[in-house]
Amino acid sequence: MHERIRSRRIQLGMTQASLAKMLGVSRVSVTKWESATTKPDGENLHRLADVLKTTPEWLLYGTGDTPSDDITVIPNVSQLHAVPIISSVQAGSWTETHASAKLTDVLGWSHTTMHVSEEAFALTVRGESMTNPNGLPTIPEGSTVIVEPNYGCIEDLYGKVVVAILDGTSEATIKKLIWDPPYKYLMPLNPDFKPIQINGNCRIIGKVVQVTQNL
């Protein structure tokens, strides 16, 4: 059973952490299931089967209808990563709390082929400050951004779109980080909005690595 859980999770491009969050259990529980230390039962078994798009019978015994192979026609599906969409308020403490986050903390899920860490998260863009009326690059309202909190040093972020929290605020903002010596700015892509000069009055919590938009 543990091998079927693990192989099906990998086939669907999920990490242990993302699977745990979708089920509302701890990552340790998933690790124990996949190492045959314990077995899911009752409600957890049925929810696990639903999330893995299979049946409890197949998970338990390898019998009955086998999981749908429809996803195998998608190239590199094993490289898909499920990233939790969270609120701009939650973003400020996500790296400290993601390991203990509950399913109720997650607003939805986004999938990416980008190589991201398990701490990566997604935000839904609000407002027009990153909508570029002159064309690309643009991040219009309603877009989903994939954010990698493990970005290295701040010098690597100059010219990149970042997620930051200004002192005295609780919500994260998405802006382009510009260095115009000796000053640094959080720059909107929309010229109707003013740049924000920063001088130690903000915390960079991640780098935007991908933008997706539903039409």
Side-chain angles (χ1 to χ4, degrees), residues 67-204:
S68 170
D69 291 328
D70 289 346
I71 62 168
T72 59
V73 301
I74 303 174
N76 298 321
V77 69
S78 62
Q79 300 302 312
L80 284 175
H81 300 278
V83 179
I85 302 173
I86 61 175
S87 74
S88 58
V89 174
Q90 289 172 310
S93 60
W94 182 254
T95 54
E96 290 81 22
T97 62
H98 82 280
S100 59
K102 303 290 191 300
L103 187 63
T104 52
D105 296 326
V106 178
L107 304 178
W109 295 88
S110 183
H111 290 80
T112 179
T113 55
M114 298 293 293
H115 180 69
V116 293
S117 67
E118 291 191 352
E119 292 86 356
F121 59 91
L123 296 174
T124 300
V125 179
R126 304 298 182 195
E128 300 291 338
S129 68
M130 294 301 283
T131 301
N132 186 351
N134 301 313
L136 299 175
T138 185
I139 309 177
E141 184 173 20
S143 301
T144 299
V145 294
I146 307 297
V147 184
E148 174 54 70
N150 299 318
Y151 54 78
C153 62
I154 192 170
E155 287 77 11
D156 295 332
L157 297 179
Y158 295 144
K160 307 295 185 182
V161 177
V162 302
V163 176
I165 292 186
L166 294 166
D167 289 352
T169 65
S170 59
E171 293 192 28
T173 184
I174 302 168
K175 297 290 185 291
K176 187 175 184 178
L177 181 62
I178 298 296
W179 183 38
D180 185 14
Y183 303 110
K184 300 183 183 72
Y185 298 91
L186 293 176
M187 185 73 68
L189 297 180
N190 189 332
D192 290 338
F193 292 77
K194 295 181 179 180
I196 304 169
Q197 183 177 336
I198 58 174
N199 53 5
N201 60 337
C202 86
R203 178 166 58 97
I204 306 297

Side-chain angles (χ1 to χ4, degrees), residues 15-94:
T15 64
Q16 288 187 343
S18 64
L19 176 58
K21 287 174 183 174
M22 293 177 75
L23 293 170
V25 301
S26 68
R27 182 182 175 185
V28 173
S29 295
V30 176
T31 300
K32 288 183 177 180
W33 295 342
E34 293 189 357
S35 63
T37 303
T38 61
K39 293 182 179 181
D41 55 14
E43 182 180 354
N44 281 338
L45 176 62
H46 288 275
R47 292 176 66 185
L48 179 62
D50 287 341
V51 170
L52 295 182
K53 304 184 190 321
T54 184
T55 64
E57 290 75 20
W58 184 83
L59 289 176
L60 286 169
Y61 312 113
T63 58
D65 294 336
T66 56
S68 170
D69 291 328
D70 289 346
I71 62 168
T72 59
V73 301
I74 303 174
N76 298 321
V77 69
S78 62
Q79 300 302 312
L80 284 175
H81 300 278
V83 179
I85 302 173
I86 61 175
S87 74
S88 58
V89 174
Q90 289 172 310
S93 60
W94 182 254

